[in-house]
Amino acid sequence: MSKSIHRKELIVIYRQEILKDIRLFTSQPVAKFYDSLFLNLDLSFVPEFPKTGRKGFSNHAMICSFIVMKCEGFSMISDLVDYLHNNLLIAHFCGFDISRPLPSYWTFDRFLKNFDNKVLSKIMKTQVLFLSKEGIVDTSFIGLDSTPVSANTSQNNPKSFLSNKFKPGNQPRADSDCRLGVHTASNQTNEKKYEFYWGYKNHVLVDCISGLPIYEMTTTAEVHDATVALDILAATHSFQPITDCIFLADKGYDVKNIYNQVKELYNGECIIPLNKRNTKNPKL
């Protein structure tokens, strides 16, 4: 009888030791990916803790956790919280002390609301300069495009049959900053279908060879792509020269001043399809 009890105790202890080994609950390729990612992420210019007041959680760890959220494709903070609790090794790589409770949903939510977008822009700039130094990205062949970002409002729900949901004056109560925009349903040149939405636009300049982003800008949805193109090129040129570049864009950027400034300021060349809309002679 005593041998049986002793055997059960050993099994319980063995199970407890297994549960303590956080490596057993995360796939090794995923763990290796995040370990390498965060080792090469420069956050030295971001204060890790406030100078005064409550110490709280590390700002570096919080930033890394939201990078995990985007890499895993989570749309909800609650999914991130569950993922970190079920993958303590990833939480450790983010920089959290896994011997203590991880941040709650409300801690993540408050951090995201108070986080300055300028910090993200500086992180991106630092990474681009590092990749450029390593010869991974360059600006000899660049492309610019935008993608719609829908606001979290019921008026964007395709199942909503309200007749005035896309009326310009019917501002969504859930998001007072978003604006009414329109985007085509596909990239086909003869496609005339389009959709209205409330939200924003994310304009991204990429290195066409590596496919990696170089600069990004988010505007409200009513802003036309061509109106911010030169600002994006100028901002990029301020830290990563785009001299002698080839600039690729779609017909939404077929505007005379873009051709002129790319040629005159950057000695570059534009490859942009002609926008035949409202032209009397499309062949010209």
Side-chain angles (χ1 to χ4, degrees):
M1 187 71 178
S2 59
K3 289 183 178 179
S4 176
I5 295 174
H6 181 65
R7 188 180 298 111
K8 289 180 180 179
E9 290 177 348
L10 288 176
I11 292 173
V12 170
I13 293 172
Y14 181 66
R15 287 177 177 173
Q16 289 176 342
E17 291 302 317
I18 290 176
L19 291 173
K20 288 179 181 178
D21 192 346
I22 59 177
R23 296 171 297 177
L24 298 176
F25 299 92
T26 302
S27 75
Q28 292 308 302
V30 173
K32 187 176 180 181
F33 167 76
Y34 285 118
D35 186 25
S36 178
L37 174 63
F38 296 142
L39 283 175
N40 290 282
L41 184 64
D42 183 11
L43 297 176
S44 58
F45 59 91
V46 181
E48 187 168 8
F49 297 101
K51 294 181 179 180
T52 58
R54 186 180 176 184
K55 187 176 181 180
F57 293 96
S58 163
N59 289 327
H60 294 183
M62 296 294 284
I63 292 171
C64 290
S65 63
F66 279 107
I67 292 175
V68 171
M69 180 177 177
K70 301 310 295 183
C71 288
E72 296 298 326
F74 299 143
S75 59
M76 307 293 289
I77 293 177
S78 55
D79 295 330
L80 172 64
V81 174
D82 290 340
Y83 183 81
L84 292 178
H85 277 92
N86 293 324
N87 296 272
L88 290 176
L89 185 58
I90 305 300
H92 169 69
F93 287 148
C94 286
F96 292 115
D97 181 359
I98 58 175
S99 65
R100 302 176 60 188
L102 297 178
S104 66
Y105 169 91
W106 300 110
T107 302
F108 281 115
D109 183 65
R110 184 167 56 251
F111 178 85
L112 191 61
K113 288 180 178 179
N114 297 331
F115 192 67
D116 190 350
N117 181 260
K118 293 179 180 178
V119 177
L120 281 180
S121 297
K122 191 169 182 179
I123 292 173
M124 183 173 182
K125 176 182 175 181
T126 302
Q127 293 303 112
V128 169
L129 291 173
F130 174 76
L131 292 173
S132 177
K133 183 179 178 181
E134 295 295 318
I136 298 174
V137 301
D138 63 44
T139 54
S140 60
F141 186 19
I142 55 178
L144 178 62
D145 202 0
S146 68
T147 183
V149 180
S150 297
N152 186 18
T153 170
S154 60
Q155 288 162 243
N156 284 330
N157 190 339
K159 296 182 180 179
S160 174
F161 296 102
L162 295 174
S163 59
N164 62 345
K165 64 180 181 178
F166 292 126
K167 187 177 180 181
N170 192 14
Q171 181 72 33
R173 294 182 180 179
D175 192 335
S176 59
D177 296 322
C178 71
R179 294 294 181 267
L180 183 63
V182 60
H183 67 93
T184 55
S186 75
N187 289 326
Q188 299 298 320
T189 55
N190 59 349
E191 181 65 73
K192 295 184 178 180
K193 292 183 180 180
Y194 56 87
E195 298 175 351
F196 289 102
Y197 73 101
W198 287 97
Y200 307 85
K201 276 185 181 180
N202 189 221
H203 308 263
V204 182
L205 184 70
V206 301
D207 168 20
C208 295
I209 298 174
S210 67
L212 295 172
I214 301 173
Y215 189 86
E216 72 84 28
M217 176 188 291
T218 300
T219 64
T220 46
E222 88 285 3
V223 176
H224 193 276
D225 294 349
T227 60
V228 297
L230 294 177
D231 292 336
I232 292 173
L233 292 175
T236 305
H237 187 68
S238 66
F239 70 91
Q240 183 68 22
I242 59 173
T243 309
D244 300 322
C245 69
I246 296 176
F247 177 65
L248 179 69
D250 62 27
K251 62 182 180 181
Y253 298 87
D254 182 28
V255 180
K256 188 175 181 180
N257 64 345
I258 293 179
Y259 291 97
N260 291 341
Q261 293 205 37
V262 168
K263 179 62 178 177
E264 295 170 5
L265 293 181
Y266 311 119
N267 194 32
E269 179 183 353
C270 291
I271 301 178
I272 303 173
L274 294 177
N275 190 342
K276 299 178 183 180
R277 192 185 308 129
N278 298 327
T279 56
K280 294 181 180 180
N281 187 352
K283 294 182 180 180
L284 296 179

